[in-house]
Amino acid sequence: MAFTPRVFSGMQPTGNLHLGNYLGAMVQWVEMQKTHDCIFCVVDMHAITMAVSVWGGPSELPGQIRSVAAAYIAAGIDPKRSILFNQSQVSEHAELAWVFNCVARLGWLNRMTQFKEKAGKDRENASVGLYDYPVLMAADILAYRATHVPVGEDQKQHLELARDIAQKFNNDFAESIRKAGIDDGQFFPLPEPVIIGPATRVMSLRDGTKKMSKSDASDLSRINMTDDADTIARKIQKAKTDPEPLPSEEAGLETRPEADNLVGIYAALAGKPKAAVLREYGGAQFSTFKKALAEVAVSRIGPVNAEMKRLLADPAEIDRILAEGARRARAIAKPIVDQVKDVVGFLRS
Ligand code: TYM
């Protein structure tokens, strides 16, 4: 089957969105929206795989879902052009995930590094959902036969798993897929990760060897999309650095993770390659560079932040957008998942 190019990606509504989410994923989404049919999802079913204390429980979740939806729109996703919805409103995700649970192998899931990181030492106490997280992610993508998935570097392994699941489904059910009239046996595409830009892995402001993350105990480690201008400037000013001035060439960043991270963030925010940033700031002290970085960060994040606030003042409108997005998403996913049921051999009325 020749697959029409289609983009799918998502974010979890747990805690604040941060600069890593914005630069690693959302900026790419806004670009891809200009050239592709795109589907962007708030993955609320993924959010509840963690302990209730992490996602906030039933009193917090609706607000978190709206807040992530508002961030998408404020960052530049146009909900008329692209499809924007929350995962739990389209039950085909969960249905396809079950079929994929029976296609994916335990050995594949045992290799997932993000599960090991998130489960930590107390693995016996992690939810089954956390273990199964990448299978649901494969279902998210393949329920739409999406071909391209723009994400940050940390999602690469999950996308390899999604490809393995697609491939094994195509192989396991090859005969049935042909009988259903798909002559080349390719029921699902092998979705491609799109991991591009100078900030595919934004690191913590406190430790250049650790990823910027929602779960870091120190709020100084990350810039939240909801931080005001003073907070952004203060966090950048406090960011860990080394005593040397900035190098003039990228090779000079190799053994300097904190410097490398700040230059990468600047480059992504200013929309320039890292080399151009170093041509401008090579030889400068961090005090000078941090001031410039704070300025560019505030000028990019400030308007997104203000627009998010404006949108969140009308929660009913966000709910309406999500419901309409879910209706459009389902119109694509339902026929595909119905066909999966036929291919597997389920009876349906
Ligand atoms: P989440 O919410 O953890 O992350 C959302 C996106 O932000 C990117 N990201 C980063 N990029 C650069 N530097 C960082 N420090 C950083 N931290 C996070 C992530 O790579 C991701 O692109 N499992 C997904 C959500 C998901 C999904 C999907 C994505 C569920 N189903 C289907 C794509 C397709 C996740 O990581 O969410």
Side-chain angles (χ1 to χ4, degrees), residues 127-339:
S127 74
V128 176
L130 185 66
Y131 185 71
D132 202 33
Y133 179 114
V135 176
L136 178 59
M137 187 166 154
D140 295 340
I141 300 163
L142 293 167
Y144 303 90
R145 292 200 169 107
T147 54
H148 295 84
V149 186
V151 282
E153 172 80 40
D154 61 345
Q155 295 304 306
K156 198 167 171 206
Q157 196 186 33
H158 288 162
L159 285 193
E160 279 158 13
L161 185 92
R163 292 167 66 90
D164 288 344
I165 291 175
Q167 181 80 67
K168 189 165 184 328
F169 182 94
N170 290 347
N171 292 347
D172 287 358
F173 296 100
E175 207 181 306
S176 184
I177 291 169
R178 286 207 176 79
K179 276 196 195 130
I182 301 173
D183 293 336
D184 65 2
Q186 300 301 301
F187 189 91
F188 287 120
L190 305 190
E192 282 191 28
V194 180
I195 302 175
I196 48 173
T200 55
R201 192 171 170 80
V202 177
M203 309 307 275
S204 154
L205 297 180
R206 307 299 293 166
D207 177 350
T209 62
K210 258 173 58 188
K211 195 180 68 166
M212 184 177 284
S213 137
K214 293 170 196 175
S215 53
D216 196 311
S218 164
D219 197 52
L220 284 175
S221 70
R222 66 186 157 255
I223 294 176
N224 301 310
M225 296 309 288
T226 46
D227 285 344
D228 61 23
D230 287 346
T231 311
I232 295 174
R234 187 169 50 84
K235 286 181 177 175
I236 291 176
Q237 200 206 341
K238 290 201 172 215
K240 185 177 168 201
T241 47
D242 56 44
E244 303 295 319
L246 281 170
S248 315
E249 290 180 1
E250 272 187 84
L253 292 172
E254 266 163 27
T255 52
R256 301 174 63 187
E258 282 83 17
D260 188 20
N261 188 34
L262 294 185
V263 170
I265 292 175
Y266 186 104
L269 286 169
K272 295 179 182 173
K274 274 186 188 173
V277 178
L278 292 177
R279 271 199 299 280
E280 200 175 336
Y281 288 100
Q285 297 296 331
F286 275 106
S287 51
T288 312
F289 181 66
K290 281 180 167 179
K291 273 203 194 97
L293 178 58
E295 251 168 53
V296 68
V298 169
S299 75
R300 277 295 291 276
I301 295 165
V304 178
N305 191 338
E307 180 62 4
M308 262 178 86
K309 280 206 184 104
R310 194 188 67 76
L311 291 163
L312 285 168
D314 188 356
E317 174 61 9
I318 297 183
D319 293 358
R320 196 200 56 74
I321 291 172
L322 291 172
E324 171 60 12
R327 193 193 57 74
R328 288 166 66 202
R330 185 156 220 197
I332 302 172
K334 181 157 190 328
I336 294 174
V337 173
D338 279 350
Q339 216 181 1

Side-chain angles (χ1 to χ4, degrees), residues 97-123:
W98 184 260
V99 174
F100 285 172
N101 277 334
C102 304
V103 172
R105 304 287 96 181
L106 274 183
W108 299 357
L109 286 179
N110 284 340
R111 287 198 288 272
M112 294 295 116
T113 53
Q114 201 163 82
F115 172 75
K116 291 179 196 161
E117 278 163 29
K118 285 194 178 171
K121 289 202 181 74
D122 196 9
R123 212 191 279 195

